[in-house]
Amino acid sequence: MRDTVEIGLGKAAQRGYHLDDVAIVPSRRTRDVDDVSTAWQLDAYRFEIPCAAHPSDATMSPDRVIELGRLGGLGILNVEGLWTRYEDPSKLLADLRTVVEAEEPVTPRLQEIYAEPIKPELITERVRVMREAGITVAVRVSPQHTLALAPVILDAGVDLLVIQGTVVSAEHVSTVDEPLNLKEFIADLDLPVIVGGCTNYQTALHLMRTGAAGVIVGLGADDDSTSDTVLGIRVPMATAIADAAAARRDYLDETGGRYVHLIADGDIHTSGDIARALACGADSVMLGAPLALAEGSPAGGLWWHSSASHPKLPRSAVGYYAEPMGSLDQVLYGPSDDPYGRMNLFGGLKRAMAKCGYRDVKEFQKVGLMLDR
Amino acid sequence: MRDTVEIGLGKAAQRGYHLDDVAIVPSRRTRDVDDVSTAWQLDAYRFEIPCAAHPSDATMSPDRVIELGRLGGLGILNVEGLWTRYEDPSKLLADLRTVVEAEEPVTPRLQEIYAEPIKPELITERVRVMREAGITVAVRVSPQHTLALAPVILDAGVDLLVIQGTVVSAEHVSTVDEPLNLKEFIADLDLPVIVGGCTNYQTALHLMRTGAAGVIVGLGADDDSTSDTVLGIRVPMATAIADAAAARRDYLDETGGRYVHLIADGDIHTSGDIARALACGADSVMLGAPLALAEGSPAGGLWWHSSASHPKLPRSAVGYYAEPMGSLDQVLYGPSDDPYGRMNLFGGLKRAMAKCGYRDVKEFQKVGLMLDR
Amino acid sequence: MRDTVEIGLGKAAQRGYHLDDVAIVPSRRTRDVDDVSTAWQLDAYRFEIPCAAHPSDATMSPDRVIELGRLGGLGILNVEGLWTRYEDPSKLLADLRTVVEAEEPVTPRLQEIYAEPIKPELITERVRVMREAGITVAVRVSPQHTLALAPVILDAGVDLLVIQGTVVSAEHVSTVDEPLNLKEFIADLDLPVIVGGCTNYQTALHLMRTGAAGVIVGLGADDDSTSDTVLGIRVPMATAIADAAAARRDYLDETGGRYVHLIADGDIHTSGDIARALACGADSVMLGAPLALAEGSPAGGLWWHSSASHPKLPRSAVGYYAEPMGSLDQVLYGPSDDPYGRMNLFGGLKRAMAKCGYRDVKEFQKVGLMLDR
Amino acid sequence: MRDTVEIGLGKAAQRGYHLDDVAIVPSRRTRDVDDVSTAWQLDAYRFEIPCAAHPSDATMSPDRVIELGRLGGLGILNVEGLWTRYEDPSKLLADLRTVVEAEEPVTPRLQEIYAEPIKPELITERVRVMREAGITVAVRVSPQHTLALAPVILDAGVDLLVIQGTVVSAEHVSTVDEPLNLKEFIADLDLPVIVGGCTNYQTALHLMRTGAAGVIVGLGADDDSTSDTVLGIRVPMATAIADAAAARRDYLDETGGRYVHLIADGDIHTSGDIARALACGADSVMLGAPLALAEGSPAGGLWWHSSASHPKLPRSAVGYYAEPMGSLDQVLYGPSDDPYGRMNLFGGLKRAMAKCGYRDVKEFQKVGLMLDR
């Protein structure tokens, strides 16, 4: 049973487990890989693969959002990123790579370029381009700027709105500003909203009750994110996903059938990690650094979280993959010539599902797990 | 008692243990090393040592199979490997070494040379050569190609058939092809079949019920295999072997005396690991990379799993041991001048058994274990 | 529940947890960072931040104590350090840096310069300078020298007295000297005393009963301290803090309301660690090496514990941070351009508190914890 | 309580703990270091420190045995080592250092020089020299050669006999030779015998029942020993010592008062490790590699176990400490200028005992322990 440990007299802590602590256990049946489906349906939108992109400027430009959409995934543009601050940030992105290659400090440079104000007209323009491409259009806004930027975003006409901060709650308290009331805000909207990140059962349940179509689980932790050393917050993703899946079940019961999707954001580096996240109960994953490995990534192999540019408290380093693995198509679907699971991410997932005898992602959430670390 | 842990609300996982988590505990008795036997009897075939070879082209050519057989082990040739695709693959193997030494990408090269079709007449020829050498002849075929290749293999006249895939189940589901019905297939055969790999009690028991003489436990995991990062599948071998040993006991009871051999394939690098695998309940081990350390290894010190050459999803890197440790005889029986347990593999096993006071492998399966990691 | 483990027959050990084993779990509420207070009130003295400085000569000169006091923290001068042995130790400190940069052994040099006797008149002079600066004046003395040095210290007129040794108990036994009776000593004083380090419930409770205003929990362990390898003593800080917090509760009950402050000293490197220590129940932290990262640190980036200079049994190596991160102000309050949580230490704490929805340190002690290592 | 874990269905293992998993917990009392005694009394022999030397030629020549004896410890000469095979092995030891410095394979060279037969007259001569020095004379013989060499050793006149093999049991089974009956052998002797190593309660108890005065617990594991990789045998020393201490208690009861000493041999590198071993219940420790750090060590900083020279199955690498820490006196008693606990080994122990308020080793065996890894 789940451990509640007394770490000192009268002070309890739950034990949590990371994705990496968990191994998938093949069952007594196997299946042909061609009989397996990885499709993901969120509200009216169908995707070939259970894949959203973490909305970092490092990997998601409008062009890249379009490309990912066409390939069957969900691209998301950050409307508080460089593409809405600058007409053309390409040169700035190229410069960042020069800074990194020269091994000079890159955080001050990020802080500097993100100091430029957001331009509402650029939001309109970026959304227009993506709409015209015919893909499912999704943008990310932070909870702090949702009230201010929502009118522009909605006018521009997106399909999905992603409200994402490092840690988001259904109840933000402020004596300074009028805080965003997520429940009222979402009720007033006509389009599905994805909201997060959250890290436990209770917050997940509260976020589901706001009416969100999807909840992001996790803080996007990876080798470059530093919320652990800066904030002391570290999310054991296997536990966070499983807890949120319990909230999904309870909310399904409470509402008599409303199914809220869980999008796992954190500790996902390889196809094996994607399989583990779904096995723990996620409906989809959010990919960050793994997409920076694809040719033509907007920042040319650089990777950072949006918190990397915080003016006073940056919480992400900048990673750099100097050698791309292959095209975005190949990174998602192969063929791969990388034996480490960083290419053909969803081909790898499909094969894992086949080896365990499952047909689709929903079934695969029931696969057996073993703890071995 | 065995832990079932709730990793999140309502989501359970068993705890599993790796060979390396386990230490052998000497008992109150010791024994002369000369009074210890490591013999292994599988069906009508007797081996001096409980040693099968992982059927990789890196270590198992027809000549090497013969040499290992003469030394008292069980060599296995992969009939889907290079020796049945090419008249003489020696030059290709030597080229691979050049690629590795030049630190160029070797996976694409492997994919390329394995794209050549299998030639049935070469299967016949390879088996003929091995038969004429007077050894116990065993070849490996994948479950996918068993139906197609079995007639040729059986006509050629092998002693043992090894049906091995990364993960094999007794019940493969396909809407595309007619799947292999292992139980019917084995019932129709006159010769003993070894089948696997499997990773848990249930699959092991089902495989035993197909009539197999031996079941392979594990996926051959080692430093170069990447089924963990690619598929999320990682097998805690101590637990997998002990669970399969429970299936062996239950099947023995269910059949009133049919003893199915367990061949442990994974996490075995040294004589200490061999001892641990047997102590957990295996009857024999399958050696992969450790044999690449022997002089005259077909690929000259290179090592890879068959999944390394998968055209779309390779799942093994290529290891390279530039300096051989000694002859195959020395690697198996010593004398050793390597203090790390990579030479005199079965002399090391014998001494471990002697230090614990046991006479043979079956007795040694009862030795005490301690968990310390 | 808390584990008591039988490590061998009849030999029990409690399980203890390190700060790093623990992660903070955001609750269902978030809060504006501007609504959060990090203030710390100890007796009559109020500090903007819950921050005392570990009294090492490496980081605490009289000038630096003044600077930290003015910035809202509690600086502490070691009256058994170089500033009371030498008129001007600046040259010696600069020399140490030369020794370290030349990669020569630095311990013998430390042992040599600390062999110089303490000069009481320098104690008087150092305290005078600090008093005149208008800050809260605190000095550290070891238990062994408290009786001898107290008269000079008290005459000089300090606000707080810190009696600190590696391990301090309320009951020191000696057949050689008259031992310090802490209870009587403190009862006779007019000023608040901070005493420690201690490592468990019982010692903490006993130290509280001496009448101390604050108790130091931990031995100041960090990458450079070596009490583990030299003495076998290693303090799992999460457990030590939680146990001492239980002693604080019990002593509060026993005295009908005397609240003793806990100052956590050990394993604190980043803002995330500060948050973890408070979350476990500390009222404040003691910073050592993190302050050596500030520009103008007395030993120019060097860091050592006072035990580093022990003439027969040194118990700390000497660390060196060649590149300062920024001014002391920036290290404490930012802005930071370091993504690893080593700058803006208390801005990071504030943000962690805000993400979890808490208003002040006392409330934050209730935040949820997860064990994940 | 002690964990018995089911590692697989029906297969149990005890959990064991290493010295490094354990931390000493200071109690509520402290004590003056000058009031602490580290004396060790074994039978009629008294030592200033609870220190025996692992009988390796690397650290124990006749001269070194004498020096250690004069300094208050128990030196032990291996009568199956180089000093009884060669008149003067100094040149051979110096040559070994040359081989190591040239980074050539040293194991074959060790195997070669140990192939020289043992000369009984040299045993007599070595013992004579040690006796004349007036120290307590102890030599080590292996169980295999005890019957053959005992007459010579006893005639030469030693004070203590150490019968030590990697794993020794009270019941050795052989169909080849007449095995040594330890109980009868010891009963016939007039002098105290130390016997081991052993790794668990039952073997320890059986060895006590042979009439031994001391039992060695552990296999001398350290960074260079490889019994784990070669034999699969790895001893969690905290558990092994505590279990043997339980056997000591039970044997004390069973005999109405015969106290058998436990000498811990394994995982002891620093003064902190010595403290941990005694805290777990040992009466003394056996030092191997730590003594190779002393100036004038016979092999000039090289270190190996006797199993390193095994002709067919070497089980120890050769370590090399190019820079000595200080004289043997300093390594044992300081003063130290090494902050890592490798010098002033018994000064460090004394201070650990003082910090925990204990007066002697027997009392210190009761100190509190915490598990934190």
Side-chain angles (χ1 to χ4, degrees):
Chain A
M1 287 293 82
R2 189 148 177 202
D3 274 332
T4 302
V5 178
E6 198 185 36
I7 59 165
L9 293 162
K11 184 84 182 178
Q14 291 278 317
R15 270 194 198 280
Y17 301 95
H18 292 275
L19 283 184
D20 207 37
D21 297 331
V22 157
I24 289 170
V25 181
S27 59
R28 67 178 202 281
R29 187 176 291 157
T30 49
R31 188 175 292 277
D32 258 24
V33 78
D34 297 329
D35 289 349
V36 171
S37 160
T38 59
W40 175 40
Q41 176 93 24
L42 176 75
D43 204 274
Y45 305 100
R46 182 190 159 88
F47 306 94
E48 281 312 298
I49 47 177
C51 167
H54 192 96
S56 164
D57 289 332
T59 49
M60 285 291 111
S61 63
D63 284 357
R64 203 65 172 186
V65 166
I66 292 167
E67 188 177 354
L68 178 55
R70 287 180 174 156
L71 286 168
L74 172 61
I76 302 172
L77 189 77
N78 182 8
V79 297
E80 299 172 26
L82 296 176
W83 295 89
T84 57
R85 297 177 196 265
Y86 297 93
E87 270 292 340
D88 181 1
S90 317
K91 175 80 171 55
L92 296 171
L93 290 165
D95 284 355
L96 283 173
R97 206 163 105 152
T98 313
V99 171
V100 169
E101 283 180 341
E103 293 181 25
E104 283 164 17
V106 68
T107 301
R109 183 71 187 129
L110 277 177
Q111 291 173 321
E112 190 185 317
I113 66 180
Y114 279 88
E116 178 74 17
I118 296 167
K119 310 202 169 38
E121 65 277 18
L122 283 176
I123 296 181
T124 309
E125 171 59 15
R126 300 312 180 200
V127 171
R128 188 190 60 76
V129 169
M130 295 189 292
R131 283 193 71 78
E132 286 179 359
I135 57 157
T136 303
V137 177
V139 300
R140 174 262 175 183
V141 65
S142 69
Q144 295 87 321
H145 297 118
T146 298
L147 291 178
L149 297 178
V152 186
I153 295 167
L154 298 174
D155 277 358
V158 300
D159 297 313
L160 289 164
L161 181 64
V162 179
I163 303 178
Q164 186 178 16
T166 312
V167 175
V168 167
S169 76
E171 182 189 351
H172 184 74
V173 182
S174 175
T175 62
V176 184
D177 297 307
E178 172 74 9
L180 171 66
N181 183 321
L182 268 175
K183 191 164 183 176
E184 289 175 11
F185 177 80
I186 292 175
D188 288 347
L189 286 184
D190 270 347
L191 80 181
V193 174
I194 293 171
V195 65
C198 72
T199 73
N200 56 14
Y201 172 85
Q202 199 176 36
T203 315
L205 185 60
H206 285 220
L207 289 179
M208 287 171 186
R209 287 177 180 158
T210 63
V215 166
I216 299 165
V217 181
L219 315 183
D222 59 22
D223 293 347
D224 295 305
S225 92
T226 56
S227 53
D228 181 23
T229 52
V230 180
L231 301 177
I233 299 172
R234 188 170 68 221
V235 184
M237 283 297 287
T239 297
I241 296 170
D243 279 355
R248 184 179 60 200
R249 273 196 309 277
D250 290 351
Y251 182 67
L252 198 64
D253 185 59
E254 165 183 326
T255 56
R258 223 182 140 258
Y259 188 91
V260 182
H261 286 252
L262 298 181
I263 301 157
D265 185 24
D267 290 339
I268 295 173
H269 309 94
T270 65
S271 48
D273 295 333
I274 296 173
R276 274 187 271 265
L278 301 182
C280 287
D283 298 286
S284 176
V285 296
M286 194 165 247
L287 296 184
L291 298 184
L293 283 163
E295 269 163 24
S297 182
L302 294 183
W303 165 249
W304 65 87
H305 287 259
S306 21
S307 59
S309 60
H310 192 285
K312 292 187 61 177
L313 194 70
R315 296 189 298 278
S316 164
V318 174
Y320 181 33
Y321 306 97
E323 288 292 330
M325 305 280 314
S327 68
L328 184 58
D329 191 3
Q330 263 184 298
V331 165
L332 299 175
Y333 299 109
S336 163
D337 58 9
D338 171 64
Y340 301 107
R342 296 170 298 180
M343 265 178 119
N344 197 0
L345 292 173
F346 293 92
L349 169 64
K350 217 171 201 176
R351 191 160 292 263
M353 293 166 71
K355 297 257 181 231
C356 297
Y358 292 102
R359 265 174 313 199
D360 60 39
V361 169
K362 192 65 209 165
E363 263 190 4
F364 186 60
Q365 291 173 352
K366 291 180 301 193
V367 71
L369 296 177
M370 194 161 260
L371 265 182
D372 69 336
R373 279 179 186 169
Chain B
M1 286 293 79
R2 188 145 178 204
D3 273 332
T4 303
V5 178
E6 198 185 35
I7 60 166
L9 293 162
K11 184 83 182 178
Q14 291 277 317
R15 270 193 198 281
Y17 301 95
H18 292 274
L19 282 185
D20 207 37
D21 297 331
V22 157
I24 289 170
V25 182
S27 59
R28 65 179 204 282
R29 187 178 290 157
T30 48
R31 188 176 292 276
D32 258 26
V33 77
D34 297 329
D35 288 349
V36 171
S37 160
T38 58
W40 175 41
Q41 176 95 24
L42 176 76
D43 203 276
Y45 306 100
R46 181 188 159 88
F47 307 95
E48 282 311 299
I49 46 177
C51 167
H54 192 96
S56 164
D57 289 331
T59 50
M60 285 292 112
S61 63
D63 284 357
R64 204 65 172 187
V65 166
I66 292 166
E67 188 177 355
L68 179 55
R70 286 178 175 157
L71 285 167
L74 171 60
I76 302 172
L77 188 78
N78 182 8
V79 296
E80 299 172 25
L82 297 175
W83 295 89
T84 57
R85 296 177 197 264
Y86 297 93
E87 271 291 340
D88 182 0
S90 317
K91 175 79 172 54
L92 295 171
L93 291 165
D95 284 354
L96 283 173
R97 205 163 106 153
T98 313
V99 171
V100 169
E101 284 182 339
E103 294 181 24
E104 282 163 18
V106 68
T107 302
R109 183 72 186 127
L110 277 178
Q111 291 172 323
E112 189 184 319
I113 64 179
Y114 279 88
E116 178 75 16
I118 295 166
K119 310 199 167 44
E121 64 276 17
L122 283 176
I123 297 181
T124 309
E125 170 60 14
R126 301 312 179 199
V127 170
R128 189 190 58 77
V129 169
M130 296 189 292
R131 284 191 71 78
E132 285 178 359
I135 57 158
T136 303
V137 177
V139 300
R140 174 261 175 183
V141 65
S142 68
Q144 293 88 322
H145 297 118
T146 297
L147 291 178
L149 298 178
V152 185
I153 295 167
L154 298 173
D155 277 357
V158 300
D159 298 312
L160 290 164
L161 181 64
V162 179
I163 303 177
Q164 184 177 18
T166 312
V167 175
V168 168
S169 76
E171 182 188 352
H172 184 74
V173 182
S174 174
T175 62
V176 184
D177 297 307
E178 172 73 8
L180 172 66
N181 183 320
L182 269 175
K183 191 163 183 178
E184 290 175 11
F185 178 80
I186 293 174
D188 289 347
L189 287 183
D190 270 346
L191 80 181
V193 174
I194 293 171
V195 66
C198 72
T199 74
N200 56 13
Y201 172 87
Q202 201 177 34
T203 315
L205 185 60
H206 285 219
L207 290 178
M208 287 171 185
R209 286 179 180 157
T210 63
V215 166
I216 299 165
V217 181
L219 315 183
D222 59 22
D223 294 348
D224 295 304
S225 91
T226 56
S227 53
D228 181 22
T229 53
V230 180
L231 302 176
I233 299 173
R234 188 169 70 222
V235 183
M237 283 296 288
T239 297
I241 296 169
D243 279 355
R248 183 179 60 200
R249 273 196 310 278
D250 290 352
Y251 182 67
L252 198 64
D253 185 60
E254 166 182 325
T255 57
R258 222 183 141 257
Y259 188 89
V260 181
H261 286 252
L262 299 181
I263 300 157
D265 185 24
D267 290 338
I268 295 173
H269 310 95
T270 66
S271 48
D273 295 333
I274 295 173
R276 274 186 270 264
L278 301 182
C280 288
D283 298 287
S284 175
V285 296
M286 194 165 246
L287 295 184
L291 297 184
L293 284 163
E295 270 162 23
S297 182
L302 294 183
W303 165 249
W304 65 87
H305 288 259
S306 22
S307 58
S309 61
H310 192 284
K312 293 188 62 177
L313 193 70
R315 297 189 298 279
S316 164
V318 174
Y320 181 33
Y321 306 98
E323 289 292 329
M325 306 279 315
S327 68
L328 184 58
D329 190 4
Q330 262 184 299
V331 164
L332 299 175
Y333 298 109
S336 163
D337 58 10
D338 171 63
Y340 301 108
R342 297 169 299 181
M343 263 178 122
N344 197 359
L345 292 172
F346 293 91
L349 169 65
K350 218 172 200 175
R351 190 160 293 262
M353 292 166 72
K355 297 260 181 228
C356 297
Y358 292 101
R359 267 174 310 200
D360 59 39
V361 168
K362 192 65 207 164
E363 264 191 3
F364 186 60
Q365 291 174 351
K366 292 181 299 194
V367 72
L369 297 177
M370 193 161 260
L371 265 182
D372 69 337
R373 279 179 186 170
Chain C
M1 286 295 82
R2 189 147 177 203
D3 275 331
T4 302
V5 178
E6 197 184 39
I7 59 166
L9 292 163
K11 184 84 183 176
Q14 290 278 317
R15 270 194 197 280
Y17 301 95
H18 292 274
L19 283 184
D20 207 37
D21 297 331
V22 156
I24 289 170
V25 181
S27 59
R28 66 178 202 281
R29 189 177 290 157
T30 49
R31 188 176 292 277
D32 258 25
V33 77
D34 297 329
D35 289 349
V36 171
S37 160
T38 59
W40 175 40
Q41 176 94 24
L42 176 75
D43 203 274
Y45 305 100
R46 182 188 159 89
F47 306 95
E48 281 311 299
I49 47 177
C51 167
H54 192 96
S56 164
D57 289 331
T59 50
M60 286 290 112
S61 63
D63 284 357
R64 204 64 173 186
V65 167
I66 292 167
E67 189 177 354
L68 178 56
R70 286 181 175 156
L71 286 167
L74 172 61
I76 303 172
L77 189 77
N78 182 9
V79 297
E80 299 172 25
L82 296 177
W83 295 89
T84 57
R85 296 177 196 263
Y86 297 94
E87 270 291 339
D88 182 1
S90 318
K91 175 81 171 54
L92 296 171
L93 290 165
D95 284 356
L96 283 173
R97 206 164 105 151
T98 312
V99 170
V100 169
E101 284 181 339
E103 294 181 24
E104 283 163 17
V106 68
T107 301
R109 183 71 185 128
L110 277 178
Q111 291 173 322
E112 189 185 317
I113 64 180
Y114 279 88
E116 178 75 16
I118 295 167
K119 309 198 169 42
E121 64 276 18
L122 282 176
I123 297 181
T124 309
E125 171 59 16
R126 299 314 179 198
V127 171
R128 189 190 59 77
V129 169
M130 296 189 292
R131 284 193 69 78
E132 285 179 0
I135 58 157
T136 303
V137 177
V139 300
R140 174 262 175 182
V141 65
S142 68
Q144 294 87 322
H145 297 119
T146 298
L147 290 178
L149 297 178
V152 186
I153 295 167
L154 297 174
D155 276 359
V158 301
D159 298 312
L160 289 163
L161 182 64
V162 179
I163 303 177
Q164 185 177 18
T166 311
V167 175
V168 168
S169 76
E171 182 188 350
H172 184 74
V173 182
S174 174
T175 61
V176 185
D177 298 306
E178 171 75 8
L180 172 66
N181 183 321
L182 268 175
K183 192 163 184 177
E184 290 175 11
F185 178 80
I186 293 175
D188 288 347
L189 287 184
D190 270 346
L191 80 181
V193 175
I194 293 171
V195 66
C198 72
T199 73
N200 56 13
Y201 172 86
Q202 199 176 36
T203 315
L205 185 61
H206 285 221
L207 289 178
M208 287 171 186
R209 287 179 180 158
T210 64
V215 167
I216 299 166
V217 181
L219 315 183
D222 59 22
D223 294 346
D224 295 305
S225 92
T226 56
S227 53
D228 181 22
T229 52
V230 180
L231 302 176
I233 299 173
R234 188 170 68 221
V235 184
M237 283 297 288
T239 297
I241 296 170
D243 279 355
R248 184 180 59 200
R249 271 197 310 279
D250 290 351
Y251 182 67
L252 198 64
D253 185 59
E254 164 182 327
T255 56
R258 223 183 141 258
Y259 188 90
V260 182
H261 286 252
L262 299 180
I263 301 157
D265 185 24
D267 290 338
I268 295 173
H269 310 95
T270 65
S271 47
D273 294 334
I274 296 173
R276 274 187 270 265
L278 301 182
C280 287
D283 299 286
S284 175
V285 296
M286 194 166 247
L287 296 184
L291 297 184
L293 283 163
E295 270 163 23
S297 181
L302 294 183
W303 165 250
W304 65 86
H305 288 259
S306 21
S307 58
S309 61
H310 192 285
K312 292 188 62 178
L313 195 69
R315 297 189 299 278
S316 163
V318 174
Y320 181 34
Y321 306 99
E323 288 292 329
M325 306 278 316
S327 68
L328 184 58
D329 191 3
Q330 263 184 296
V331 165
L332 299 175
Y333 299 108
S336 163
D337 58 10
D338 170 65
Y340 301 107
R342 297 170 300 180
M343 264 178 121
N344 198 0
L345 292 173
F346 293 91
L349 169 64
K350 219 173 200 175
R351 190 160 293 264
M353 293 166 71
K355 297 256 180 233
C356 297
Y358 293 101
R359 265 174 312 199
D360 59 39
V361 169
K362 192 66 207 164
E363 264 191 2
F364 186 60
Q365 291 174 351
K366 292 180 300 195
V367 72
L369 297 177
M370 193 161 260
L371 266 182
D372 68 336
R373 279 180 186 169
Chain D
M1 286 293 81
R2 188 146 178 203
D3 274 332
T4 303
V5 178
E6 197 184 36
I7 60 165
L9 292 162
K11 183 84 182 178
Q14 291 278 318
R15 271 194 196 280
Y17 301 96
H18 292 274
L19 282 184
D20 206 37
D21 297 330
V22 156
I24 289 170
V25 182
S27 60
R28 65 177 203 281
R29 187 178 291 156
T30 49
R31 188 177 293 276
D32 258 25
V33 77
D34 297 331
D35 290 348
V36 171
S37 160
T38 58
W40 175 42
Q41 176 95 25
L42 176 75
D43 202 274
Y45 306 101
R46 182 187 158 90
F47 306 95
E48 281 312 298
I49 47 177
C51 167
H54 192 96
S56 164
D57 288 331
T59 49
M60 286 292 111
S61 63
D63 284 357
R64 203 64 172 187
V65 167
I66 293 167
E67 188 178 354
L68 179 56
R70 287 180 173 154
L71 286 168
L74 172 61
I76 303 172
L77 189 78
N78 182 8
V79 296
E80 300 172 24
L82 297 176
W83 295 90
T84 57
R85 295 177 197 263
Y86 296 94
E87 271 291 339
D88 181 1
S90 317
K91 174 77 173 55
L92 295 171
L93 290 166
D95 284 355
L96 283 173
R97 206 162 104 152
T98 312
V99 170
V100 169
E101 284 181 341
E103 294 180 23
E104 282 164 17
V106 68
T107 301
R109 182 71 185 128
L110 276 178
Q111 291 172 321
E112 189 185 318
I113 64 180
Y114 279 88
E116 178 75 16
I118 296 167
K119 309 196 170 43
E121 64 276 17
L122 283 176
I123 297 181
T124 309
E125 171 60 14
R126 300 312 180 198
V127 170
R128 189 191 59 76
V129 169
M130 296 189 291
R131 284 193 70 79
E132 286 178 0
I135 58 157
T136 303
V137 178
V139 301
R140 174 262 175 183
V141 65
S142 68
Q144 294 87 323
H145 297 118
T146 298
L147 291 177
L149 298 178
V152 186
I153 295 168
L154 297 173
D155 276 359
V158 301
D159 298 313
L160 289 164
L161 181 65
V162 179
I163 303 177
Q164 184 177 17
T166 311
V167 174
V168 168
S169 75
E171 182 188 351
H172 185 73
V173 182
S174 175
T175 62
V176 185
D177 298 306
E178 171 75 7
L180 171 66
N181 183 320
L182 268 175
K183 191 162 184 179
E184 289 175 10
F185 178 79
I186 292 175
D188 288 347
L189 287 184
D190 270 346
L191 80 180
V193 174
I194 294 171
V195 65
C198 72
T199 73
N200 56 13
Y201 172 86
Q202 199 176 36
T203 315
L205 185 60
H206 285 219
L207 290 178
M208 288 170 186
R209 287 178 181 159
T210 64
V215 166
I216 299 166
V217 181
L219 315 182
D222 59 23
D223 294 347
D224 295 304
S225 91
T226 56
S227 53
D228 181 22
T229 53
V230 180
L231 301 176
I233 300 173
R234 187 169 69 221
V235 184
M237 283 296 287
T239 297
I241 296 170
D243 279 355
R248 184 179 59 200
R249 272 196 311 278
D250 290 351
Y251 183 67
L252 198 64
D253 185 59
E254 165 182 326
T255 56
R258 221 183 143 259
Y259 189 90
V260 181
H261 285 252
L262 299 181
I263 300 158
D265 185 24
D267 290 338
I268 294 173
H269 310 95
T270 65
S271 47
D273 295 333
I274 296 173
R276 274 187 270 265
L278 301 183
C280 288
D283 298 287
S284 175
V285 296
M286 194 165 246
L287 295 183
L291 297 184
L293 284 163
E295 271 163 22
S297 181
L302 295 182
W303 165 249
W304 65 86
H305 288 259
S306 22
S307 58
S309 61
H310 192 285
K312 293 189 61 178
L313 194 70
R315 297 188 299 278
S316 164
V318 174
Y320 181 34
Y321 306 99
E323 289 292 328
M325 305 281 314
S327 67
L328 184 59
D329 191 3
Q330 263 184 297
V331 165
L332 300 175
Y333 298 109
S336 163
D337 58 9
D338 171 63
Y340 301 107
R342 297 170 299 180
M343 262 178 122
N344 196 358
L345 291 172
F346 292 92
L349 169 64
K350 219 173 199 175
R351 190 160 294 264
M353 292 166 72
K355 297 259 180 231
C356 298
Y358 292 101
R359 266 173 312 199
D360 59 38
V361 168
K362 192 66 208 164
E363 264 191 3
F364 186 60
Q365 291 175 352
K366 292 181 299 195
V367 72
L369 297 177
M370 193 161 260
L371 265 183
D372 68 337
R373 278 179 187 171

